[in-house]
Amino acid sequence: MNGKTLTKADIVDYIYEKTERNRAEVKVLVDHLLELMKDSIKRDNSLLVSGFGKFESYDKKARKGRNPQTNESIMLPPRKVVVFRLSRKFRAELNPDEVL
């Protein structure tokens, strides 16, 4: 996958090729998995996948911003954002020479 973004369709194709299920079943399973992940983040504000990482949502406060086209100051409303933090194990796989 060098330089290519992995898409949901790529995930479905990969699982389809590795299993005995038909493509439609695999697509439904992937959709259910992603829905479960989204619901967990919405409900619990986090999702931990051991050996991979943790998705966490948090509230950002309202803040001053600037419209780059008009240079006008604006107030950006509060919002939720999601961050991803790699697990130590996955980070070590990505950076084998790094000392933890």
Side-chain angles (χ1 to χ4, degrees), residues 9 16 49 53 64 72 78 97:
Y16 168 72
V49 181
K64 282 177 76 172
E72 174 187 0
D97 298 331

Side-chain angles (χ1 to χ4, degrees), residues 65-95:
R66 179 181 64 81
N67 180 334
Q69 291 179 333
T70 64
N71 225 12
E72 174 187 0
S73 287
I74 57 174
M75 199 63 181
L76 298 171
R79 62 190 175 127
K80 279 194 175 283
V81 296
V82 176
V83 295
F84 176 73
R85 300 187 198 301
L86 290 173
S87 71
R88 287 185 188 157
K89 180 180 177 183
F90 189 26
R91 181 176 291 132
E93 290 176 25
L94 285 176
N95 303 295

Side-chain angles (χ1 to χ4, degrees), residues 1 9 25-28 31 33 39 58 62 72 76-77 88 90-91 96 100:
M1 291 273 166
E25 287 178 312
V26 172
K27 182 180 181 319
V28 168
D31 286 338
L33 174 63
D39 289 345
Y58 66 94
E72 174 187 0
L76 298 171
R88 287 185 188 157
F90 189 26
R91 181 176 291 132
L100 296 177

Side-chain angles (χ1 to χ4, degrees), residues 9-74:
D10 294 332
I11 294 169
V12 169
D13 289 343
Y14 179 84
I15 295 171
Y16 168 72
E17 291 169 6
K18 300 288 184 186
T19 65
E20 299 293 319
R21 298 192 181 262
N22 68 46
R23 188 173 260 108
E25 287 178 312
V26 172
K27 182 180 181 319
V28 168
L29 290 172
V30 170
D31 286 338
H32 285 312
L33 174 63
L34 294 173
E35 198 61 39
L36 176 65
M37 293 171 73
K38 290 191 306 188
D39 289 345
S40 176
I41 293 168
K42 288 178 190 175
R43 182 182 60 249
D44 302 327
N45 294 327
S46 66
L47 168 68
L48 174 65
V49 181
S50 296
F52 183 66
K54 186 174 188 178
F55 295 89
E56 293 180 290
S57 72
Y58 66 94
D59 296 317
K60 277 187 113 171
K61 296 179 181 175
R63 61 190 176 91
K64 282 177 76 172
R66 179 181 64 81
N67 180 334
Q69 291 179 333
T70 64
N71 225 12
E72 174 187 0
S73 287
I74 57 174

